[in-house]
Amino acid sequence: IGPARARGLEAMVVARVHSLVARAARGRRSVVELIAIDATGRLVIIFFNQPYRRDQLHEGDEVTVFGRVERYRGRVQMTNPIVDLVGDQTGAIIPIYPQSQKAGVTSRELHRYLTEALRRAGHFADPLSTALRAELGLVDRTTAMNAIHLPDEMDAVARARRRLAFEELLRLQIVLVARKRARAFAARGIAHRIASALGEMDLVEAFLTRLPFPITGAQQRAIAAIAADLASAQPMHRLLQGDVGSGKTVVALATLLYGIQGGPQGALMVPTEVLAEQHVAATRALLSGLHVGDPGRLTQRRELVVALLTSEITGSERDRVYEGLREGTIDLVVGTHALLSAEVRFSSLGVVVIDEQHRFGVDQRALLRERASLQGGHDPDLLVMTATPIPRTAAMTVYGDLDYSELDEMPPGRTPIRTRWVSEESDEPRVWSRVRAEVARGAQAFVVCARVHPDESEGESGVADPEGPDLEGLVYLHEEGEAEPRLFGTSESATPKRRARSAIEEFDRLRDGELAGLRVGLLHGQMRADDKERVMTDLREGFLDVLVATTVIEVGVDIPRATVMVIADADRFGIAQLHQLRGRVGRGGGEAFCYLLGYEVGEQARARLSAMVATTDGFALAEVDLELRGEGTLLANRQRGRNDLRLASLRHDRELVTLARGVAVEMIEDDPTLSQHELLAEELPLFVDEEGAQYLARS
């Protein structure tokens, strides 16, 4: 039984009944209180409204109990656990079902009902052929259904679960593969001109040649795959995953240039104004001097035009951008949610790239593509990118109808960032000493806080629960501004013991205290656009030594001289966000440092911060994140935070995900309408309804 350190956990205990007392409680409820003992201690067992326990159990009986361990008035106890007499159930495997005290349904009753249901059901029809089951090593459905509820041995349970979990995953993959195939047949795409016309400049070749560094093999492979997609008349739908600093921007620009050099326009949508402004500045510098064809000019060509569109651009400047997009005189637009405005019309939009796509809601990601299709009479090619790596099994499921590229190499010269978790407040002065030392040698630093003002909830993006889902895609962001990625998982409630630091307070404190004498700036999402741009310009040009900010700098901010990242209250952030923030430093080569300030943290926060210290590999951290948090809903936003897979797990069934994908592809290629798999076709709507299927497709 042991001490109460297992409090809150479910446990099975084998012990001997020491005493048993029955009494009446208020409201005519019966209470049976039993004390069981073993060599390690004693356990109080309370049964409410189960008077038969008084006659079933006796002093000296050896019992097996299963339930949630609690601590009450100094006693270790269980309430209404499942109980079996050892002598009556020797060697038996007892299934455990969710109970409901409110509904008055116990695990034992459910077991009885299901036993009778299985007896009446008899033989189950099986949608998987004998040959396929033999190939995959799966038991038939009848065996699986009986063994999952009435097993003779635990190996039988494992075989049953494997079969039933595979079914779940296969149904999802069939929906994804079938939608992908149907969309390909119905699509009206553009076969882009990948090679430039005779006498014209090859935009992609010219762009790659002028880069001050060679591209990696992973970038070359991704660009080649994208070029093949764009050359086809089938619209591209591709997911590009790459760790922080792996060079996704180069691949994105090459993708856009392939589309632009044939005549259509390109659009790059990003989640924040700061990122949009930085992308425009970098893009104009990288593409300066490149020309596109223009029959209306004497020279038959003009310089490539890049424009910016955010909600802060108003008046005549906004009208000029609108007109340029309509007339086709703007070749590439970089924008935020403002691109989704009904006033935005393109002359011919050929390629859409969505950066940090997990920061957009499912419908928002689809809206730009759908509007472009209606306006231009064709479906634009789509590349979605994320630097918040998604576990491979999750990507294969949630993005199963997208082609997939991965940047798994880092450009030469990137040194792993040294990460330290500062768990004691007494060690914090050393952090500020490091900041001063780095500034003294000409470097810059970031300090990130979880909130803007001291009197508001944490996270200017509305994020207050760092234990919540942190991967991708199941939240809708209705306003332009900063937003934390959110995807799989259920949140673990936790009440922080310390008030989180705010950016405004920390700016004042550091400027007048630990960092006095340094040039300290402040940046957060509630500032005016021109003020934010001024601060970022000062930082880029070296007029600031330290920037105190919120998560507004989480993505895309590229300051080569930044070598120190300090994250205050790091336990308030998810793994993906911590990894993104860490990626803001060390981009200029050389040694860089990340300090995670987290005192008196909970168990999950401890695991997250330890993982951050252990590795800088974003893909490895994504797997840790999925393991810590679990997976959430896949079929609709209405169940956000719940896992709608009943048996399968994206964490533990990686092999089954891959198997299910392969089987689904083979089935749909050979039998697109599932006419040869009638039972499977009949069952699909029962498990994946039309709303869920459409949600998967839009995702």
Side-chain angles (χ1 to χ4, degrees):
I1 296 171
R5 65 169 177 267
R7 182 176 55 195
L9 300 178
E10 289 187 327
M12 183 172 68
V13 175
V14 179
R16 191 168 299 279
V17 177
H18 175 68
S19 64
L20 185 146
V21 176
R23 55 187 170 84
R26 286 180 299 179
R28 295 185 177 181
R29 292 197 306 169
S30 69
V31 177
V32 176
E33 182 175 312
L34 179 152
I35 295 178
I37 61 172
D38 68 4
T40 66
R42 62 172 51 204
L43 175 68
V44 177
I45 302 172
I46 306 293
F47 298 104
F48 289 107
N49 290 330
Q50 298 181 31
Y52 64 90
R53 297 292 189 186
R54 179 181 53 194
D55 300 319
Q56 177 196 32
L57 304 172
H58 306 88
E59 292 182 13
D61 286 346
E62 191 171 7
V63 295
T64 301
V65 296
F66 178 86
R68 186 172 298 279
V69 180
E70 302 165 328
R71 185 90 175 177
Y72 181 69
R73 293 183 178 176
R75 306 186 306 179
V76 181
Q77 74 174 40
M78 288 183 180
T79 302
N80 287 349
I82 295 162
V83 180
D84 281 288
L85 290 167
V86 172
D88 292 344
Q89 299 286 347
T90 303
I93 299 174
I94 308 300
I96 305 300
Y97 299 101
Q99 303 185 113
S100 172
Q101 185 173 340
K102 182 178 180 180
V105 179
T106 67
S107 177
R108 183 185 294 272
E109 288 171 320
L110 286 171
H111 179 43
R112 189 169 71 250
Y113 301 153
L114 285 162
T115 301
E116 177 63 14
L118 288 169
R119 185 189 68 78
R120 296 188 186 192
H123 181 78
F124 287 86
D126 200 321
L128 304 184
S129 68
T130 303
L132 181 59
R133 295 199 307 267
E135 179 186 343
L136 300 179
L138 299 172
V139 300
D140 63 87
R141 181 181 276 180
T142 301
T143 299
M145 293 297 288
N146 280 276
I148 203 77
H149 295 288
L150 306 170
D152 295 325
E153 57 178 1
M154 291 308 295
D155 285 347
V157 177
R159 291 190 294 271
R161 184 198 170 279
R162 187 172 187 272
R163 160 58 200 261
L164 297 174
F166 175 81
E167 277 190 26
E168 280 196 303
L169 294 167
L170 178 62
R171 287 190 289 264
L172 283 179
Q173 292 296 345
I174 284 175
V175 170
L176 289 167
V177 173
R179 291 271 173 165
K180 181 178 180 180
R181 187 181 187 279
R183 184 177 59 204
F185 275 96
R188 304 161 298 165
I190 302 173
H192 292 275
R193 195 176 70 211
I194 300 305
S196 59
L198 186 65
E200 287 186 4
M201 177 185 295
D202 187 305
L203 294 181
V204 176
E205 182 180 349
F207 162 62
L208 296 177
T209 300
R210 65 171 59 189
L211 290 174
F213 48 80
I215 64 174
T216 66
Q219 288 173 310
Q220 292 174 356
R221 291 189 294 273
I223 291 172
I226 289 167
D229 287 346
L230 295 176
S232 167
Q234 297 293 337
M236 175 178 70
H237 291 81
R238 182 170 289 273
L239 168 67
L240 177 65
Q241 282 212 111
D243 209 341
V244 176
S246 60
K248 292 180 300 302
T249 300
V250 168
V251 177
L253 289 179
T255 301
L256 292 162
L257 290 174
Y258 273 133
I260 291 170
Q261 73 180 4
Q265 298 157 296
L268 172 59
M269 189 162 78
V270 299
T272 69
E273 292 170 8
V274 170
L275 183 54
E277 290 161 356
Q278 180 165 296
H279 266 311
V280 163
T283 298
R284 284 173 174 162
L286 289 170
L287 304 186
S288 175
L290 296 185
H291 291 75
V292 296
D294 187 348
R297 300 203 177 197
L298 184 63
T299 59
Q300 297 290 294
R301 63 176 191 167
R302 60 172 173 77
E303 191 164 351
L304 189 151
V305 176
V306 179
L308 172 68
L309 183 62
T310 71
S311 62
E312 295 295 328
I313 292 178
T314 58
S316 60
E317 176 64 14
R318 181 187 59 193
D319 293 339
R320 186 189 66 79
V321 174
Y322 286 169
E323 182 182 3
L325 293 175
R326 285 195 307 271
E327 301 298 325
T329 55
I330 291 176
D331 304 294
L332 171 58
V333 61
V334 180
T336 57
H337 300 70
L339 288 174
L340 304 177
S341 169
E343 289 81 11
V344 175
R345 299 185 63 86
F346 292 88
S347 171
S348 176
L349 180 59
V351 179
V352 175
V353 176
I354 300 180
D355 194 14
E356 299 299 338
Q357 62 90 30
H358 54 275
R359 304 284 288 271
F360 296 95
V362 171
D363 290 336
Q364 289 175 314
R365 291 199 297 265
L367 185 58
L368 180 59
R369 187 178 75 246
E370 291 168 358
R371 281 198 180 148
S373 175
L374 290 173
Q375 294 170 12
H378 61 262
D379 298 320
D381 294 88
L382 174 68
L383 178 69
V384 295
M385 307 194 303
T386 179
T388 303
I390 305 162
R392 289 166 179 82
T393 51
M396 196 180 299
T397 304
V398 180
Y399 298 102
D401 61 341
L402 273 70
D403 294 308
Y404 181 78
S405 292
E406 185 175 295
L407 299 184
D408 54 4
E409 299 176 41
M410 297 297 283
R414 290 299 297 266
T415 304
I417 300 164
R418 294 175 58 183
T419 304
R420 183 186 172 196
W421 170 20
V422 182
S423 59
E424 299 293 336
E425 196 166 3
S426 58
D427 291 333
E428 189 175 318
R430 300 180 187 178
V431 175
W432 307 121
S433 295
R434 167 65 67 181
V435 171
R436 282 188 166 279
E438 290 295 301
V439 170
R441 69 176 191 83
Q444 295 169 295
F446 292 106
V447 179
V448 175
C449 300
R451 58 171 117 192
V452 179
H453 299 283
D455 55 349
E456 70 178 3
S457 61
E458 293 167 33
E460 61 184 346
S461 58
V463 176
D465 182 9
E467 308 286 0
D470 196 17
L471 288 179
E472 150 30 74
L474 298 181
V475 68
Y476 289 72
L477 311 177
H478 297 286
E479 299 180 31
E480 179 170 325
E482 300 72 41
E484 179 177 356
R486 281 287 182 264
L487 178 336
F488 296 111
T490 57
S491 70
E492 171 190 293
S493 62
T495 303
K497 297 178 180 178
R498 304 169 60 92
R499 185 171 66 89
R501 306 186 200 193
S502 70
I504 291 176
E505 276 184 321
E506 200 68 356
F507 167 70
D508 291 334
R509 188 182 71 82
L510 292 174
R511 183 185 55 182
D512 300 331
E514 288 91 335
L515 303 183
L518 303 186
R519 298 170 297 177
V520 182
L522 174 66
L523 182 69
H524 56 77
Q526 297 177 18
M527 295 168 60
R528 288 174 29 179
D530 55 345
D531 290 334
K532 285 190 284 189
E533 176 57 28
R534 176 183 51 77
V535 171
M536 289 304 301
T537 299
D538 287 347
L539 188 66
R540 282 192 292 267
E541 295 182 359
F543 297 128
L544 290 177
D545 301 316
V546 179
L547 181 64
V548 179
T550 57
T551 54
V552 67
I553 64 151
E554 179 188 340
V555 293
V557 173
D558 189 359
I559 306 297
R561 290 171 53 196
T563 62
V564 184
M565 169 64 68
V566 181
I567 305 175
D569 305 297
D571 52 302
R572 316 288 177 113
F573 298 88
I575 283 181
Q577 209 169 23
L578 291 171
H579 183 58
Q580 284 274 19
L581 290 169
R582 176 169 60 184
R584 297 312 104 209
V585 299
R587 304 175 76 87
E591 195 172 36
F593 307 87
C594 178
Y595 294 98
L596 310 173
L597 310 185
Y599 318 128
E600 303 174 20
V601 304
E603 183 178 346
Q604 269 217 354
R606 182 176 297 275
R608 292 198 307 276
L609 298 181
S610 297
M612 287 291 298
V613 173
T615 182
T616 57
D617 184 339
F619 290 98
L621 288 171
E623 298 291 344
V624 171
D625 200 33
L626 186 61
E627 189 68 31
L628 285 174
R629 251 188 275 259
E631 59 259 26
T633 181
L634 301 176
L635 298 180
N637 67 313
R638 66 184 182 276
Q639 295 176 345
R640 185 167 67 225
R642 288 174 50 192
N643 178 11
D644 47 22
L645 292 175
R646 303 305 182 193
L647 282 176
S649 166
L650 301 184
R651 291 174 286 170
H652 306 305
D653 293 320
R654 291 170 172 82
E655 176 223 0
L656 292 182
V657 172
T658 304
L659 281 178
R661 180 68 175 181
V663 171
V665 169
E666 200 170 302
M667 276 187 179
I668 296 300
E669 285 181 351
D670 295 341
D671 182 18
T673 63
L674 294 179
S675 60
Q676 300 169 33
H677 301 84
E678 291 183 8
L679 184 57
L680 189 56
E682 184 181 331
E683 290 182 353
L684 272 178
L686 302 176
F687 294 96
V688 184
D689 62 17
E690 184 61 22
E691 181 183 357
Q694 289 178 2
Y695 186 87
L696 278 173
R698 290 201 313 276
S699 297

